[in-house]
Amino acid sequence: MSLVKLTIKGISYSQTQNGAYALILNEVDGDRKLPIVIGAFEAQSIAIALEKEIKPPRPLTHDLFKTFADKYDIVIKQVIIHKLVDGVFYSSIICEREGIEEIIDARTSDAIALALRFNAPIFTYKNILDKAGVFLNLNPTEGNPDDTNNDNILTEPETFGDDSDDTNAYSKNTLEELHMLLDEAIQNEDYEKAAIIKEEIDKKES
């Protein structure tokens, strides 16, 4: 079976499960998206890995694993989402140490959080993408209106931490105030708040 390379499009609030998020993976050589429901902790861990400037005061679980792996010369070569059963995705982490390759089963959210920290590519099989891939129209006013019906997987996806009310709450702060608030949020390990503040900083600096 042929492998399809994926990139991370973003993290959306899940409209189907309370307290959950949907990780949106994008087909590199195509337009399909692969939405995967993940927990809040995993969403924060992935968001922090994407936001290079947010440095937790204490290592998260995935950061600890990265440090442990570095100490013992373990490298993650790639992650493969290899199975989909009853809506649950199964993944494998392909590791290498001293020229010996090992395959480790993992939850997809954990595998991707680690792939980001190792700069490892993410793949899935074509038949999984054919089965679960969707065309997400992030702007319903453009394109075919029928594209907004994505089998109820997501509706109006939003980037992680991109809540309009929360973002507007920081729109009147100065850059200096925002940087102070960002440092405070990180120290308090409130990474969702930190992601919102960081987004506002990026807007003001752009």
Side-chain angles (χ1 to χ4, degrees), residues 105-134:
D105 287 332
R107 294 188 307 170
T108 298
S109 56
D110 289 329
I112 291 174
L114 290 172
L116 282 170
R117 286 161 170 82
F118 283 85
N119 294 317
I122 303 165
F123 297 93
T124 191
Y125 288 110
K126 184 179 180 297
N127 65 323
I128 292 178
L129 196 58
D130 290 341
K131 181 179 179 181
V134 296

Side-chain angles (χ1 to χ4, degrees), residues 42-74:
E42 291 78 11
Q44 287 189 354
S45 182
I46 291 171
I48 288 170
L50 291 170
E51 289 285 357
K52 302 297 184 183
E53 295 182 26
I54 298 180
K55 302 295 184 184
R58 297 182 298 171
L60 300 180
T61 302
H62 299 110
D63 297 320
L64 178 61
F65 185 97
K66 174 67 164 61
T67 301
F68 180 89
D70 288 344
K71 291 291 185 182
Y72 290 92
D73 297 323
I74 300 170

Side-chain angles (χ1 to χ4, degrees), residues 77-97:
K77 307 294 289 186
Q78 62 183 4
V79 163
I80 300 176
I81 303 170
H82 64 84
K83 188 167 64 173
L84 173 61
V85 179
D86 296 330
V88 178
F89 291 91
Y90 294 79
S91 293
S92 295
I93 299 174
I94 314 301
C95 303
E96 185 178 275
R97 180 175 183 268

Side-chain angles (χ1 to χ4, degrees), residues 29-41:
D29 296 321
D31 298 321
R32 287 177 295 182
K33 310 294 187 293
L34 191 65
I36 301 173
V37 175
I38 62 176
F41 171 79

